[in-house]
């Protein structure tokens, strides 16, 4: 099976993908009247791509959630092999940190270019070996790794919890995270987490929070997330009991009064 279509038997609606470096979200999967076969109704997350708002021949198939003033962002495409969908957090962590072949350590540079010339790099091979043991990691950076969640396989979810149980700081900026429930699933696996960066994702608004869940994430970054409203940001930070919050470059138009029980100490 192609790695790009590893979820080909599952519903693709609501999932991010890329094709030719363009990012989109599947909003519809099914037939289109007057044509044959299955189509994907796509909302593009890049400018100057898209032909409509989810309607064709006076029939609406899906809605686009981006700002309408930036132009139409919808189109229909075939579910072809070159569509690259996301991967689980554990898959991304193994790709980023685990050295499968110890011979790869020979490719690690022994010197680093500095302002005043070459700097000898000592111990980078030892660091790479240590990071290959995911249980030792307390800081994990998976920016731009196509992470879309923890997955639905119970064995993989348990493995994620076991291997990454000591992580205190997690960066998931610029990934394929769309639904807040996927963030909650991630938080459930990281009991020690106190710092989280989920900037530059394309989460749906309004955020649907699970009222029975509370976390303790002291520092939260959700910069460059124009899809979120001020109530979304307040709700997220209250659920995470955040003390330090960053939401820059989010194009907020209205910032209302904050609730009295808001625990924010730093913006």
């Amino acid at each position: 099976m192609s790695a790009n279509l590893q979820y080909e038997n599952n519903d693709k609606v609501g999932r991010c993908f890329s094709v030719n470096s363009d990012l989109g979200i599947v909003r519809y999967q099914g037939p289109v009247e007057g044509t044959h076969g299955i189509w994907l109704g796509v909302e593009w997350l890049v400018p100057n791509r898209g032909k409509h708002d989810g309607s064709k021949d006076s029939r609406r198939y899906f809605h686009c959630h981006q700002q309408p003033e930036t132009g139409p962002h919808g189109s229909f495409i075939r579910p072809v092999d070159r569509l690259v969908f996301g991967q689980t957090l554990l898959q991304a962590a193994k790709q980023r940190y685990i050295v499968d072949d110890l011979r790869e350590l020979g490719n690690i540079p022994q010197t680093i270019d500095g302002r005043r010339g070459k700097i000898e790099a000592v111990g980078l091979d030892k660091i790479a070996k240590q990071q290959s043991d995911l249980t030792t990691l307390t800081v994990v950076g998976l920016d731009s790794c196509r992470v879309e969640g923890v997955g639905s396989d119970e064995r993989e979810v348990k493995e994620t919890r076991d291997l990454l149980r000591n992580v205190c700081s997690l960066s998931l900026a610029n990934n394929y995270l769309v639904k807040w429930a996927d963030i909650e699933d991630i938080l459930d696996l990281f009991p020690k987490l106190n710092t989280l960066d989920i900037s530059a994702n394309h989460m749906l608004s309004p955020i649907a929070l699970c009222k029975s869940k509370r976390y303790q994430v002291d520092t939260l970054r959700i910069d460059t997330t124009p899809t979120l409203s001020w109530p979304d940001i307040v709700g997220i930070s209250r659920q995470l009991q955040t003390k330090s919050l960053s939401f820059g470059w989010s194009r907020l138009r209205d910032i209302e009064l904050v609730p009295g029980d808001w625990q924010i100490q730093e913006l």
Side-chain angles (χ1 to χ4, degrees):
M1 180 186 299
S2 168
N4 293 350
L5 294 180
Q6 59 181 308
Y7 298 93
E8 63 183 357
N9 294 322
N10 296 339
D11 187 7
K12 296 181 175 62
V13 174
R15 297 181 61 201
C16 274
F17 70 94
S18 62
V19 57
N20 299 331
S21 300
D22 289 344
L23 188 65
I25 298 179
V26 178
R27 301 295 190 193
Y28 170 81
Q29 179 179 357
V32 174
E33 188 173 353
T35 68
H36 298 284
I38 299 299
W39 293 85
L40 300 180
V42 171
E43 177 179 6
W44 295 103
L45 301 175
V46 293
N48 304 319
R49 182 153 190 180
K51 299 179 179 180
H52 51 72
D53 63 354
S55 298
K56 184 180 185 299
D57 298 331
S58 302
R59 178 178 175 181
R60 177 164 296 281
Y61 292 87
F62 62 94
H63 291 273
C64 291
H65 297 267
Q66 290 200 86
Q67 299 296 330
E69 60 267 21
T70 60
H73 294 285
S75 64
F76 290 102
I77 63 174
R78 293 292 190 181
V80 295
D81 190 51
R82 58 195 178 95
L83 302 183
V84 181
F85 284 88
Q87 61 181 342
T88 66
L89 189 150
L90 183 59
Q91 289 171 335
K94 288 181 175 180
Q95 289 178 5
R96 174 62 61 89
Y97 291 102
I98 292 181
V99 179
D100 294 322
D101 188 344
L102 294 179
R103 290 175 296 182
E104 295 180 13
L105 297 176
N107 298 325
I108 296 178
Q110 300 303 308
T111 60
I112 300 174
D113 291 330
R115 290 184 177 180
R116 299 182 179 179
K118 297 286 186 179
I119 301 174
E120 185 179 1
V122 179
L124 290 184
D125 54 342
K126 294 182 180 179
I127 293 174
K129 289 181 181 179
Q130 182 180 11
Q131 288 183 337
S132 290
D133 181 2
L134 298 182
T135 62
T136 66
L137 297 179
T138 58
V139 178
V140 169
L142 298 176
D143 297 350
S144 305
C145 288
R146 298 189 292 109
V147 175
E148 64 176 8
V150 298
S152 58
D153 185 281
E154 293 183 2
R155 290 175 297 180
E156 183 175 359
V157 171
K158 182 181 184 300
E159 186 181 7
T160 305
R161 180 187 291 110
D162 293 343
L163 291 179
L164 299 174
R165 60 183 180 271
N166 291 315
V167 172
C168 300
S169 177
L170 177 63
S171 184
L172 294 171
N174 192 36
N175 274 290
Y176 287 11
L177 297 166
V178 177
K179 296 176 291 185
W180 184 250
D182 295 330
I183 305 292
E184 291 176 332
D185 289 342
I186 292 172
L187 292 170
D188 288 341
L189 303 184
F190 294 87
K192 297 182 180 181
L193 194 68
N194 57 41
T195 301
L196 177 65
D197 188 345
I198 49 174
S199 302
N201 282 283
H202 299 275
M203 287 176 283
L204 293 175
S205 177
I207 292 293
L209 300 172
C210 179
K211 296 181 180 180
S212 63
K213 292 187 175 182
R214 283 290 184 272
Y215 306 96
Q216 188 66 59
V217 179
D218 292 338
T219 302
L220 174 65
R221 298 186 65 92
I222 45 178
D223 301 324
T224 321
T225 313
T227 55
L228 295 184
S229 66
W230 177 246
D232 290 330
I233 293 174
V234 171
I236 290 170
S237 62
R238 292 177 73 183
Q239 185 192 44
L240 272 56
Q241 302 184 73
T242 298
K243 297 177 181 177
S244 177
L245 172 65
S246 175
F247 55 92
W249 303 281
S250 294
R251 302 178 190 173
L252 290 176
R253 297 179 178 179
D254 299 300
I255 297 181
E256 305 168 5
L257 294 176
V258 300
D261 61 344
W262 212 29
Q263 301 182 21
I264 292 295
Q265 299 176 5
E266 180 184 13
L267 288 173

